[in-house]
Amino acid sequence: MDSFPQNALAMVEKMTESAAEDSDKAIAFQGAPGANSHLAALQYDPDCLPLPCFSFEDALESVKLGVAGSAIIPIENSLHGRVADIHFLLPESGLHIVAEHFMPIQHCLMAKSADGKIKTAMSHPQALGQCRHYLRDHGIIPVAYADTAAAAAFVANGDDENAAAIAPPLSAELYGLEPIADAIQDRADNMTRFVLLAPECSIPEPNGPVMTTFIFEVKNIPAALYKAMGGFATNGVNMTKLESYQQGSSFAATEFYADIEGSPGDPAVDRALEELSFHCNSVRVLGTYRQARPRTIA
């Protein structure tokens, strides 16, 4: 908690105390009050008790310790791709994906005064990447910080009139900053996908489209990935996402993160996963959950 800027601590302490009164309703998020993940928690469940955590690891750990019933974590953005390290953190956490939530992201440039010439803008690397055209066009130097709202709190607590933060508009209100420019993201349809993580897996009712997320490591042989993917094609299972990443320092075998439409128990999905397993060293399902928005376009 002490890692948050001083002027955010009072709000963090109050929200932490509220969450402790009913941990089952608490949803942990990474960031200071006013961060996009804070807004996502309230959008997903308006009656929840948002619990601010300084890092993704802290948010996941709070669920493992029972301090919060679940955590909401950004996993990918339509402009800037996947959130760094999340593919490592999800499997390591031992938690299960039980839901997803999509939220439009609007970034605001804010500073202590609207009269100064903005030279630097501080924010989370994801937010900086989503506003890179604006920053370049205005000659503003991006400065990475732990999260958007904490960057706003840091700027508000400082004395540099030429420093700004990029954060949700709510952060300007919470920390007493002046909005300089609104909606500075590179595209108006900027969207972030969040996942909700909980200690126990969910079993969605079979009355609507569902997603299944899993990770796998292919065998280090020629055409292993090609063969592993064949089962999804021949069984008509739609794979909506496939990303690779390296685990460890050997670079000998690649791990993959994937989303498919459907769930274990569906005959086609079971056949595809069985064929996948034959060509892999390991396969692990991270969760099956209701689709928050359709993937298949007619």
Side-chain angles (χ1 to χ4, degrees):
M1 186 180 295
D2 292 338
S3 298
F4 287 106
Q6 189 65 34
N7 52 342
L9 280 178
M11 283 183 281
V12 171
E13 291 170 356
K14 184 176 180 179
M15 294 170 69
T16 301
E17 291 172 1
S18 296
E21 295 175 1
D22 191 349
S23 59
D24 288 342
K25 291 181 63 177
I27 297 182
F29 68 91
Q30 186 272 331
N36 282 305
S37 294
H38 181 191
L39 302 178
L42 292 173
Q43 278 191 12
Y44 176 77
D45 181 2
D47 296 324
C48 78
L49 299 171
L51 174 63
C53 301
F54 186 74
S55 68
F56 290 125
E57 291 93 333
D58 292 340
L60 299 175
E61 188 69 17
S62 70
V63 180
K64 294 166 67 176
L65 295 175
V67 178
S70 58
I72 194 163
I73 302 294
I75 191 167
E76 59 184 321
N77 174 264
S78 59
L79 285 178
H80 202 57
R82 76 183 183 198
V83 177
D85 296 337
I86 207 66
H87 290 57
F88 300 103
L89 295 176
L90 292 186
E92 291 173 359
S93 72
L95 302 176
H96 303 270
I97 302 175
V98 297
E100 64 176 359
H101 178 71
F102 290 84
M103 188 175 79
I105 302 296
Q106 182 172 325
H107 292 301
C108 176
L109 186 72
M110 55 193 73
K112 291 177 69 70
S113 170
D115 299 328
K117 176 176 173 53
I118 304 303
K119 296 181 179 179
T120 63
M122 177 180 290
S123 196
H124 189 276
Q126 271 279 334
L128 295 173
Q130 294 164 32
C131 302
R132 60 189 181 89
H133 293 313
Y134 179 92
L135 296 176
R136 185 176 65 246
D137 292 345
H138 290 80
I140 299 173
I141 300 171
V143 179
Y145 200 68
D147 76 270
T148 55
F154 184 89
V155 169
N157 203 40
D159 55 8
D160 187 352
E161 299 294 332
N162 303 121
I166 295 175
L170 174 62
S171 295
E173 179 182 339
L174 290 178
Y175 301 110
L177 294 175
E178 292 288 333
I180 306 299
D182 203 6
I184 65 170
Q185 61 274 8
D186 292 340
R187 286 180 58 102
D189 59 354
N190 188 25
M191 183 78 68
T192 291
R193 178 188 178 210
F194 294 81
V195 292
L196 195 77
L197 297 160
E200 302 295 332
C201 60
S202 65
I203 304 176
E205 293 294 328
N207 59 355
V210 298
M211 302 292 296
T212 295
T213 295
F214 57 93
I215 56 174
F216 61 95
E217 180 187 298
V218 295
K219 295 177 180 178
N220 190 18
I221 57 176
L225 180 60
Y226 174 80
K227 294 174 182 177
M229 293 294 96
F232 297 96
T234 56
N235 287 286
V237 177
N238 185 32
M239 180 171 287
T240 63
K241 183 179 180 66
L242 178 66
E243 290 192 351
S244 64
Y245 61 101
Q246 292 293 330
Q247 186 76 278
S249 59
S250 68
F251 293 91
T254 301
E255 296 214 18
F256 292 87
Y257 171 102
D259 290 335
I260 59 171
E261 291 190 285
S263 65
D266 297 341
V269 172
D270 287 345
R271 289 193 297 269
L273 290 176
E274 182 180 5
E275 187 167 340
L276 173 70
S277 299
F278 182 79
H279 298 289
C280 291
N281 294 322
S282 63
V283 178
R284 179 182 165 193
V285 174
L286 298 182
T288 297
Y289 47 94
R290 178 77 55 225
Q291 285 188 14
R293 62 188 304 178
R295 300 309 204 278
T296 302
I297 299 176

